Amino acid sequence: MEVNVKYRKDDGDKLIDPTLYRQLVGSLLYLTMTLLDISHAVQVVGQFVADPRCIHLSVVHHWAGYLDIGRSTTGWCIFLGDSLISWKCKKQQPVSKSSVETEYRGMFSACSEIT
């Protein structure tokens, strides 16, 4: 997603057939189970499923084109049996110096949630 761009529900022309938009967003929602770093972008485009516009469809087509600013993404899911009871996906505030530091930050966040 483009940085610092706000999307509104009534921007642009209405889609003639919103089926494609809904299918794409549904597929992206499914992908968020394994690709937690896209959760925010999918949540944003998911707000327009009821009445999608052309601009919203173009955002879905380019959902991976956001600027990477060097921060790592923390993501985890906590299950109780087969039920998801908590999850998180967030850009880490400090820029890590190594991938190990990134992993420790993620584990700390998950452990804090569990306790």
Side-chain angles (χ1 to χ4, degrees), residues 74-79 84-90 104-115:
T74 293
W76 45 261
C77 298
I78 299 174
F79 289 87
L84 178 68
I85 58 172
S86 183
W87 70 276
K88 180 178 185 174
C89 178
K90 182 180 178 183
Y104 278 123
R105 288 181 195 275
M107 287 188 291
F108 176 78
S109 176
C111 289
S112 295
E113 177 69 15
I114 290 170
T115 57

